[in-house]
Amino acid sequence: MHALEQKILTEGIVLSEQVLKVDAFLNHQIDPVLMQQIGCEFAERFKDCGITKIVTIEASGIAPAVMAGLQLGVPVIFARKYQSLTLNEDLYRSKVFSFTKQTESTIAISNKHLCNKDTVLLIDDFLANGHAALALVDLIEQAGAKVAGIGIVIEKSFQDGRKLLDEKGFKVESLARLQSLENGTVTFVR
Ligand code: 5GP
């Protein structure tokens, strides 16, 4: 996706050979115009998949997921990382190892929002080693729902997540695919 790649080149900051900072438009400050374009792109790529719900993870997946939900006309559920006092109903829970924090945490979705009739599009901001995506898949499968596909805003193709998800047979659509972050420079898969 050209507009996203341009934004990464102009406003992304390479923190290391493994980590790209995108808090100027996605992870902290959000560019709503770009998010809308991202939502349209996801909707286009998954429009024939019979999606009934979108599932993402707080916080950074929410903006692109909501825009995709708007375009597809379906509700968006975000898995919560912290036990909220109001989240007191029955929960689907899974453990996820955080790439950026290097700690394990539990994520949860209330069982009232997902059921075995749902066909789900999973959306996240980054794909690194695939832990977050697989934890979301686990929550969706606990509900007996079907994972129709996985939409990723920025895939770091030099890490293991893409291969893992491909091997499991998921339809993965990434809007920007990073070949490398070596020498402080972003290069894309072509
Ligand atoms: P994974 O679970 O695939 O290893 O990592 C994906 C999760 O870690 C995403 O939800 C994202 O929040 C975070 N993440 C992974 N790589 C990066 C990165 O290079 N930059 C930022 N900002 N977040 C990342």
Side-chain angles (χ1 to χ4, degrees), residues 18-23 27 57 60 81 96-100 124-133 156 159 161 181:
Q18 306 288 317
V19 181
L20 178 70
K21 186 169 174 172
V22 290
D23 69 346
N27 285 162
I57 183 168
S60 307
K81 289 180 182 162
V96 60
F97 183 79
S98 164
F99 177 83
T100 41
D124 203 6
D125 60 340
F126 271 92
L127 176 62
N129 293 313
H131 295 127
K156 290 181 292 176
Q159 293 173 321
L181 294 173

PDB file of all heavy atoms in Angstrom, residues 18-23 27 57 60 81 96-100 124-133 156 159 161 181, ligand 1:
ATOM      1  N   GLN A  18      15.389  -4.731  14.739  1.00  0.00           N
ATOM      2  CA  GLN A  18      14.171  -5.505  14.984  1.00  0.00           C
ATOM      3  C   GLN A  18      12.920  -4.643  15.164  1.00  0.00           C
ATOM      4  O   GLN A  18      11.816  -5.144  15.036  1.00  0.00           O
ATOM      5  CB  GLN A  18      14.329  -6.341  16.269  1.00  0.00           C
ATOM      6  CG  GLN A  18      15.556  -7.222  16.304  1.00  0.00           C
ATOM      7  CD  GLN A  18      15.455  -8.398  15.371  1.00  0.00           C
ATOM      8  OE1 GLN A  18      14.411  -9.031  15.295  1.00  0.00           O
ATOM      9  NE2 GLN A  18      16.517  -8.691  14.636  1.00  0.00           N
ATOM     10  N   VAL A  19      13.103  -3.382  15.519  1.00  0.00           N
ATOM     11  CA  VAL A  19      11.945  -2.581  15.960  1.00  0.00           C
ATOM     12  C   VAL A  19      11.807  -1.276  15.184  1.00  0.00           C
ATOM     13  O   VAL A  19      12.747  -0.488  15.077  1.00  0.00           O
ATOM     14  CB  VAL A  19      12.031  -2.261  17.478  1.00  0.00           C
ATOM     15  CG1 VAL A  19      10.821  -1.454  17.928  1.00  0.00           C
ATOM     16  CG2 VAL A  19      12.132  -3.542  18.300  1.00  0.00           C
ATOM     17  N   LEU A  20      10.604  -1.066  14.664  1.00  0.00           N
ATOM     18  CA  LEU A  20      10.253   0.185  13.981  1.00  0.00           C
ATOM     19  C   LEU A  20       9.263   0.947  14.854  1.00  0.00           C
ATOM     20  O   LEU A  20       8.258   0.390  15.301  1.00  0.00           O
ATOM     21  CB  LEU A  20       9.597  -0.144  12.631  1.00  0.00           C
ATOM     22  CG  LEU A  20       9.132   1.050  11.810  1.00  0.00           C
ATOM     23  CD1 LEU A  20      10.341   1.827  11.261  1.00  0.00           C
ATOM     24  CD2 LEU A  20       8.238   0.597  10.654  1.00  0.00           C
ATOM     25  N   LYS A  21       9.562   2.223  15.077  1.00  0.00           N
ATOM     26  CA  LYS A  21       8.657   3.055  15.874  1.00  0.00           C
ATOM     27  C   LYS A  21       7.743   3.817  14.917  1.00  0.00           C
ATOM     28  O   LYS A  21       8.225   4.476  13.990  1.00  0.00           O
ATOM     29  CB  LYS A  21       9.503   4.021  16.709  1.00  0.00           C
ATOM     30  CG  LYS A  21       8.720   4.843  17.693  1.00  0.00           C
ATOM     31  CD  LYS A  21       9.688   5.556  18.628  1.00  0.00           C
ATOM     32  CE  LYS A  21       8.943   6.516  19.539  1.00  0.00           C
ATOM     33  NZ  LYS A  21       9.792   7.079  20.569  1.00  0.00           N
ATOM     34  N   VAL A  22       6.441   3.703  15.168  1.00  0.00           N
ATOM     35  CA  VAL A  22       5.482   4.389  14.277  1.00  0.00           C
ATOM     36  C   VAL A  22       4.491   5.203  15.109  1.00  0.00           C
ATOM     37  O   VAL A  22       3.312   5.295  14.760  1.00  0.00           O
ATOM     38  CB  VAL A  22       4.737   3.379  13.367  1.00  0.00           C
ATOM     39  CG1 VAL A  22       5.666   2.791  12.320  1.00  0.00           C
ATOM     40  CG2 VAL A  22       4.079   2.277  14.179  1.00  0.00           C
ATOM     41  N   ASP A  23       4.999   5.799  16.194  1.00  0.00           N
ATOM     42  CA  ASP A  23       4.071   6.498  17.083  1.00  0.00           C
ATOM     43  C   ASP A  23       3.664   7.873  16.555  1.00  0.00           C
ATOM     44  O   ASP A  23       2.853   8.551  17.150  1.00  0.00           O
ATOM     45  CB  ASP A  23       4.615   6.559  18.510  1.00  0.00           C
ATOM     46  CG  ASP A  23       5.819   7.467  18.635  1.00  0.00           C
ATOM     47  OD1 ASP A  23       6.396   7.834  17.587  1.00  0.00           O
ATOM     48  OD2 ASP A  23       6.169   7.812  19.775  1.00  0.00           O
ATOM     49  N   ASN A  27       0.789   4.290  16.530  1.00  0.00           N
ATOM     50  CA  ASN A  27       0.846   3.736  17.887  1.00  0.00           C
ATOM     51  C   ASN A  27       0.648   4.733  19.027  1.00  0.00           C
ATOM     52  O   ASN A  27       0.584   4.340  20.182  1.00  0.00           O
ATOM     53  CB  ASN A  27       2.207   3.055  18.126  1.00  0.00           C
ATOM     54  CG  ASN A  27       2.318   1.712  17.427  1.00  0.00           C
ATOM     55  OD1 ASN A  27       3.404   1.213  17.252  1.00  0.00           O
ATOM     56  ND2 ASN A  27       1.202   1.136  17.036  1.00  0.00           N
ATOM     57  N   ILE A  57      -6.437  -6.428  19.154  1.00  0.00           N
ATOM     58  CA  ILE A  57      -5.909  -6.402  20.524  1.00  0.00           C
ATOM     59  C   ILE A  57      -5.600  -4.955  20.890  1.00  0.00           C
ATOM     60  O   ILE A  57      -5.118  -4.201  20.042  1.00  0.00           O
ATOM     61  CB  ILE A  57      -4.676  -7.335  20.621  1.00  0.00           C
ATOM     62  CG1 ILE A  57      -4.118  -7.413  22.031  1.00  0.00           C
ATOM     63  CG2 ILE A  57      -3.601  -6.950  19.658  1.00  0.00           C
ATOM     64  CD1 ILE A  57      -3.094  -8.546  22.217  1.00  0.00           C
ATOM     65  N   SER A  60      -3.013  -0.708  19.989  1.00  0.00           N
ATOM     66  CA  SER A  60      -2.658  -0.191  18.671  1.00  0.00           C
ATOM     67  C   SER A  60      -3.425  -0.813  17.514  1.00  0.00           C
ATOM     68  O   SER A  60      -3.445  -0.266  16.412  1.00  0.00           O
ATOM     69  CB  SER A  60      -1.167  -0.351  18.427  1.00  0.00           C
ATOM     70  OG  SER A  60      -0.457   0.211  19.491  1.00  0.00           O
ATOM     71  N   LYS A  81      -6.070  -6.411  27.642  1.00  0.00           N
ATOM     72  CA  LYS A  81      -4.853  -6.940  28.269  1.00  0.00           C
ATOM     73  C   LYS A  81      -4.942  -6.898  29.787  1.00  0.00           C
ATOM     74  O   LYS A  81      -4.177  -7.542  30.467  1.00  0.00           O
ATOM     75  CB  LYS A  81      -3.644  -6.113  27.830  1.00  0.00           C
ATOM     76  CG  LYS A  81      -3.270  -6.331  26.380  1.00  0.00           C
ATOM     77  CD  LYS A  81      -2.080  -5.488  25.994  1.00  0.00           C
ATOM     78  CE  LYS A  81      -1.721  -5.665  24.554  1.00  0.00           C
ATOM     79  NZ  LYS A  81      -0.876  -4.614  24.016  1.00  0.00           N
ATOM     80  N   VAL A  96      -0.227 -14.301  26.014  1.00  0.00           N
ATOM     81  CA  VAL A  96       0.547 -13.786  24.878  1.00  0.00           C
ATOM     82  C   VAL A  96       1.874 -13.223  25.370  1.00  0.00           C
ATOM     83  O   VAL A  96       1.926 -12.556  26.402  1.00  0.00           O
ATOM     84  CB  VAL A  96      -0.269 -12.741  24.069  1.00  0.00           C
ATOM     85  CG1 VAL A  96      -0.669 -11.560  24.913  1.00  0.00           C
ATOM     86  CG2 VAL A  96       0.509 -12.269  22.852  1.00  0.00           C
ATOM     87  N   PHE A  97       2.929 -13.551  24.624  1.00  0.00           N
ATOM     88  CA  PHE A  97       4.244 -12.989  24.936  1.00  0.00           C
ATOM     89  C   PHE A  97       4.409 -11.716  24.118  1.00  0.00           C
ATOM     90  O   PHE A  97       4.310 -11.737  22.894  1.00  0.00           O
ATOM     91  CB  PHE A  97       5.345 -14.007  24.588  1.00  0.00           C
ATOM     92  CG  PHE A  97       6.711 -13.518  24.946  1.00  0.00           C
ATOM     93  CD1 PHE A  97       7.164 -13.578  26.260  1.00  0.00           C
ATOM     94  CD2 PHE A  97       7.545 -12.976  23.978  1.00  0.00           C
ATOM     95  CE1 PHE A  97       8.428 -13.110  26.596  1.00  0.00           C
ATOM     96  CE2 PHE A  97       8.811 -12.503  24.311  1.00  0.00           C
ATOM     97  CZ  PHE A  97       9.249 -12.567  25.624  1.00  0.00           C
ATOM     98  N   SER A  98       4.622 -10.604  24.808  1.00  0.00           N
ATOM     99  CA  SER A  98       4.713  -9.315  24.124  1.00  0.00           C
ATOM    100  C   SER A  98       6.098  -9.095  23.519  1.00  0.00           C
ATOM    101  O   SER A  98       7.108  -9.130  24.238  1.00  0.00           O
ATOM    102  CB  SER A  98       4.397  -8.183  25.099  1.00  0.00           C
ATOM    103  OG  SER A  98       4.837  -6.956  24.550  1.00  0.00           O
ATOM    104  N   PHE A  99       6.122  -8.847  22.194  1.00  0.00           N
ATOM    105  CA  PHE A  99       7.390  -8.617  21.504  1.00  0.00           C
ATOM    106  C   PHE A  99       8.074  -7.350  22.020  1.00  0.00           C
ATOM    107  O   PHE A  99       9.283  -7.325  22.233  1.00  0.00           O
ATOM    108  CB  PHE A  99       7.140  -8.486  20.000  1.00  0.00           C
ATOM    109  CG  PHE A  99       8.375  -8.177  19.220  1.00  0.00           C
ATOM    110  CD1 PHE A  99       9.237  -9.197  18.847  1.00  0.00           C
ATOM    111  CD2 PHE A  99       8.698  -6.878  18.869  1.00  0.00           C
ATOM    112  CE1 PHE A  99      10.401  -8.921  18.145  1.00  0.00           C
ATOM    113  CE2 PHE A  99       9.850  -6.593  18.166  1.00  0.00           C
ATOM    114  CZ  PHE A  99      10.701  -7.615  17.806  1.00  0.00           C
ATOM    115  N   THR A 100       7.285  -6.289  22.240  1.00  0.00           N
ATOM    116  CA  THR A 100       7.897  -5.010  22.614  1.00  0.00           C
ATOM    117  C   THR A 100       8.221  -4.947  24.112  1.00  0.00           C
ATOM    118  O   THR A 100       9.211  -4.342  24.500  1.00  0.00           O
ATOM    119  CB  THR A 100       6.976  -3.834  22.221  1.00  0.00           C
ATOM    120  OG1 THR A 100       5.631  -4.179  22.527  1.00  0.00           O
ATOM    121  CG2 THR A 100       7.108  -3.506  20.759  1.00  0.00           C
ATOM    122  N   ASP A 124      -4.174  -6.679  13.251  1.00  0.00           N
ATOM    123  CA  ASP A 124      -3.216  -6.131  14.216  1.00  0.00           C
ATOM    124  C   ASP A 124      -2.296  -5.135  13.515  1.00  0.00           C
ATOM    125  O   ASP A 124      -2.204  -5.118  12.288  1.00  0.00           O
ATOM    126  CB  ASP A 124      -2.413  -7.239  14.899  1.00  0.00           C
ATOM    127  CG  ASP A 124      -1.846  -6.780  16.253  1.00  0.00           C
ATOM    128  OD1 ASP A 124      -2.175  -5.664  16.707  1.00  0.00           O
ATOM    129  OD2 ASP A 124      -1.068  -7.539  16.870  1.00  0.00           O
ATOM    130  N   ASP A 125      -1.643  -4.301  14.333  1.00  0.00           N
ATOM    131  CA  ASP A 125      -0.775  -3.269  13.756  1.00  0.00           C
ATOM    132  C   ASP A 125       0.519  -3.860  13.190  1.00  0.00           C
ATOM    133  O   ASP A 125       0.930  -3.509  12.092  1.00  0.00           O
ATOM    134  CB  ASP A 125      -0.463  -2.170  14.801  1.00  0.00           C
ATOM    135  CG  ASP A 125       0.239  -2.690  16.051  1.00  0.00           C
ATOM    136  OD1 ASP A 125       0.172  -3.901  16.328  1.00  0.00           O
ATOM    137  OD2 ASP A 125       0.853  -1.866  16.764  1.00  0.00           O
ATOM    138  N   PHE A 126       1.151  -4.786  13.943  1.00  0.00           N
ATOM    139  CA  PHE A 126       2.428  -5.365  13.523  1.00  0.00           C
ATOM    140  C   PHE A 126       2.352  -6.879  13.550  1.00  0.00           C
ATOM    141  O   PHE A 126       1.652  -7.459  14.384  1.00  0.00           O
ATOM    142  CB  PHE A 126       3.548  -4.962  14.500  1.00  0.00           C
ATOM    143  CG  PHE A 126       4.247  -3.677  14.154  1.00  0.00           C
ATOM    144  CD1 PHE A 126       3.800  -2.467  14.689  1.00  0.00           C
ATOM    145  CD2 PHE A 126       5.344  -3.666  13.318  1.00  0.00           C
ATOM    146  CE1 PHE A 126       4.440  -1.283  14.383  1.00  0.00           C
ATOM    147  CE2 PHE A 126       5.998  -2.484  13.009  1.00  0.00           C
ATOM    148  CZ  PHE A 126       5.541  -1.290  13.543  1.00  0.00           C
ATOM    149  N   LEU A 127       3.101  -7.508  12.672  1.00  0.00           N
ATOM    150  CA  LEU A 127       3.361  -8.946  12.774  1.00  0.00           C
ATOM    151  C   LEU A 127       4.871  -9.123  12.896  1.00  0.00           C
ATOM    152  O   LEU A 127       5.623  -8.728  12.001  1.00  0.00           O
ATOM    153  CB  LEU A 127       2.837  -9.678  11.534  1.00  0.00           C
ATOM    154  CG  LEU A 127       3.128 -11.181  11.467  1.00  0.00           C
ATOM    155  CD1 LEU A 127       2.484 -11.927  12.622  1.00  0.00           C
ATOM    156  CD2 LEU A 127       2.635 -11.761  10.135  1.00  0.00           C
ATOM    157  N   ALA A 128       5.293  -9.685  14.044  1.00  0.00           N
ATOM    158  CA  ALA A 128       6.719  -9.971  14.250  1.00  0.00           C
ATOM    159  C   ALA A 128       6.901 -11.483  14.291  1.00  0.00           C
ATOM    160  O   ALA A 128       7.109 -12.116  13.256  1.00  0.00           O
ATOM    161  CB  ALA A 128       7.210  -9.292  15.531  1.00  0.00           C
ATOM    162  N   ASN A 129       6.749 -12.074  15.477  1.00  0.00           N
ATOM    163  CA  ASN A 129       6.911 -13.534  15.578  1.00  0.00           C
ATOM    164  C   ASN A 129       5.579 -14.280  15.615  1.00  0.00           C
ATOM    165  O   ASN A 129       5.556 -15.509  15.711  1.00  0.00           O
ATOM    166  CB  ASN A 129       7.746 -13.879  16.818  1.00  0.00           C
ATOM    167  CG  ASN A 129       9.167 -13.378  16.653  1.00  0.00           C
ATOM    168  OD1 ASN A 129       9.788 -13.575  15.605  1.00  0.00           O
ATOM    169  ND2 ASN A 129       9.679 -12.696  17.661  1.00  0.00           N
ATOM    170  N   GLY A 130       4.499 -13.539  15.578  1.00  0.00           N
ATOM    171  CA  GLY A 130       3.175 -14.169  15.456  1.00  0.00           C
ATOM    172  C   GLY A 130       2.504 -14.517  16.772  1.00  0.00           C
ATOM    173  O   GLY A 130       1.424 -15.102  16.779  1.00  0.00           O
ATOM    174  N   HIS A 131       3.094 -14.119  17.908  1.00  0.00           N
ATOM    175  CA  HIS A 131       2.494 -14.502  19.193  1.00  0.00           C
ATOM    176  C   HIS A 131       1.132 -13.849  19.419  1.00  0.00           C
ATOM    177  O   HIS A 131       0.190 -14.512  19.862  1.00  0.00           O
ATOM    178  CB  HIS A 131       3.429 -14.133  20.354  1.00  0.00           C
ATOM    179  CG  HIS A 131       4.711 -14.906  20.346  1.00  0.00           C
ATOM    180  ND1 HIS A 131       5.947 -14.320  20.399  1.00  0.00           N
ATOM    181  CD2 HIS A 131       4.939 -16.234  20.269  1.00  0.00           C
ATOM    182  CE1 HIS A 131       6.886 -15.246  20.372  1.00  0.00           C
ATOM    183  NE2 HIS A 131       6.300 -16.418  20.278  1.00  0.00           N
ATOM    184  N   ALA A 132       1.041 -12.565  19.122  1.00  0.00           N
ATOM    185  CA  ALA A 132      -0.227 -11.863  19.340  1.00  0.00           C
ATOM    186  C   ALA A 132      -1.309 -12.443  18.434  1.00  0.00           C
ATOM    187  O   ALA A 132      -2.438 -12.721  18.883  1.00  0.00           O
ATOM    188  CB  ALA A 132      -0.054 -10.362  19.070  1.00  0.00           C
ATOM    189  N   ALA A 133      -0.970 -12.668  17.161  1.00  0.00           N
ATOM    190  CA  ALA A 133      -1.963 -13.203  16.216  1.00  0.00           C
ATOM    191  C   ALA A 133      -2.439 -14.588  16.667  1.00  0.00           C
ATOM    192  O   ALA A 133      -3.647 -14.868  16.654  1.00  0.00           O
ATOM    193  CB  ALA A 133      -1.354 -13.274  14.813  1.00  0.00           C
ATOM    194  N   LYS A 156       6.834  -7.484   9.552  1.00  0.00           N
ATOM    195  CA  LYS A 156       8.298  -7.547   9.463  1.00  0.00           C
ATOM    196  C   LYS A 156       8.615  -8.941   8.937  1.00  0.00           C
ATOM    197  O   LYS A 156       8.695  -9.914   9.680  1.00  0.00           O
ATOM    198  CB  LYS A 156       8.909  -7.269  10.832  1.00  0.00           C
ATOM    199  CG  LYS A 156       8.730  -5.793  11.238  1.00  0.00           C
ATOM    200  CD  LYS A 156       9.353  -5.479  12.578  1.00  0.00           C
ATOM    201  CE  LYS A 156       8.596  -6.187  13.659  1.00  0.00           C
ATOM    202  NZ  LYS A 156       9.199  -6.006  14.999  1.00  0.00           N
ATOM    203  N   GLN A 159      11.098 -11.604  10.306  1.00  0.00           N
ATOM    204  CA  GLN A 159      10.857 -12.364  11.534  1.00  0.00           C
ATOM    205  C   GLN A 159       9.937 -13.546  11.219  1.00  0.00           C
ATOM    206  O   GLN A 159       9.509 -13.720  10.082  1.00  0.00           O
ATOM    207  CB  GLN A 159      10.315 -11.430  12.622  1.00  0.00           C
ATOM    208  CG  GLN A 159      11.408 -10.436  13.034  1.00  0.00           C
ATOM    209  CD  GLN A 159      10.950  -9.342  13.977  1.00  0.00           C
ATOM    210  OE1 GLN A 159       9.852  -8.809  13.854  1.00  0.00           O
ATOM    211  NE2 GLN A 159      11.821  -8.957  14.893  1.00  0.00           N
ATOM    212  N   GLY A 161       6.863 -14.663  12.133  1.00  0.00           N
ATOM    213  CA  GLY A 161       5.402 -14.729  12.206  1.00  0.00           C
ATOM    214  C   GLY A 161       4.716 -15.089  10.898  1.00  0.00           C
ATOM    215  O   GLY A 161       3.814 -15.937  10.867  1.00  0.00           O
ATOM    216  N   LEU A 181      15.396  -3.865   8.465  1.00  0.00           N
ATOM    217  CA  LEU A 181      15.588  -2.571   9.145  1.00  0.00           C
ATOM    218  C   LEU A 181      17.087  -2.347   9.385  1.00  0.00           C
ATOM    219  O   LEU A 181      17.468  -1.565  10.246  1.00  0.00           O
ATOM    220  CB  LEU A 181      14.837  -2.572  10.489  1.00  0.00           C
ATOM    221  CG  LEU A 181      13.314  -2.638  10.434  1.00  0.00           C
ATOM    222  CD1 LEU A 181      12.732  -2.795  11.841  1.00  0.00           C
ATOM    223  CD2 LEU A 181      12.732  -1.391   9.772  1.00  0.00           C
TER     224      LEU A 181
HETATM  225  P1  5GP B   1       4.345 -10.655  17.590  1.00  0.00           P
HETATM  226  O1  5GP B   1       3.323 -11.095  18.587  1.00  0.00           O
HETATM  227  O2  5GP B   1       3.949 -10.953  16.155  1.00  0.00           O
HETATM  228  O3  5GP B   1       5.719 -11.150  17.923  1.00  0.00           O
HETATM  229  O4  5GP B   1       4.442  -9.075  17.711  1.00  0.00           O
HETATM  230  C1  5GP B   1       3.328  -8.306  17.348  1.00  0.00           C
HETATM  231  C2  5GP B   1       2.957  -7.341  18.423  1.00  0.00           C
HETATM  232  O5  5GP B   1       4.109  -6.715  18.993  1.00  0.00           O
HETATM  233  C3  5GP B   1       2.097  -6.249  17.849  1.00  0.00           C
HETATM  234  O6  5GP B   1       0.836  -6.306  18.469  1.00  0.00           O
HETATM  235  C4  5GP B   1       2.806  -4.952  18.151  1.00  0.00           C
HETATM  236  O7  5GP B   1       2.090  -4.198  19.083  1.00  0.00           O
HETATM  237  C5  5GP B   1       4.145  -5.329  18.734  1.00  0.00           C
HETATM  238  N1  5GP B   1       5.274  -5.093  17.796  1.00  0.00           N
HETATM  239  C6  5GP B   1       6.007  -6.049  17.171  1.00  0.00           C
HETATM  240  N2  5GP B   1       6.994  -5.498  16.455  1.00  0.00           N
HETATM  241  C7  5GP B   1       6.881  -4.173  16.600  1.00  0.00           C
HETATM  242  C8  5GP B   1       7.649  -3.054  16.100  1.00  0.00           C
HETATM  243  O8  5GP B   1       8.639  -3.175  15.354  1.00  0.00           O
HETATM  244  N3  5GP B   1       7.218  -1.820  16.463  1.00  0.00           N
HETATM  245  C9  5GP B   1       6.147  -1.637  17.280  1.00  0.00           C
HETATM  246  N4  5GP B   1       5.805  -0.371  17.557  1.00  0.00           N
HETATM  247  N5  5GP B   1       5.411  -2.658  17.782  1.00  0.00           N
HETATM  248  C10 5GP B   1       5.787  -3.912  17.450  1.00  0.00           C
END
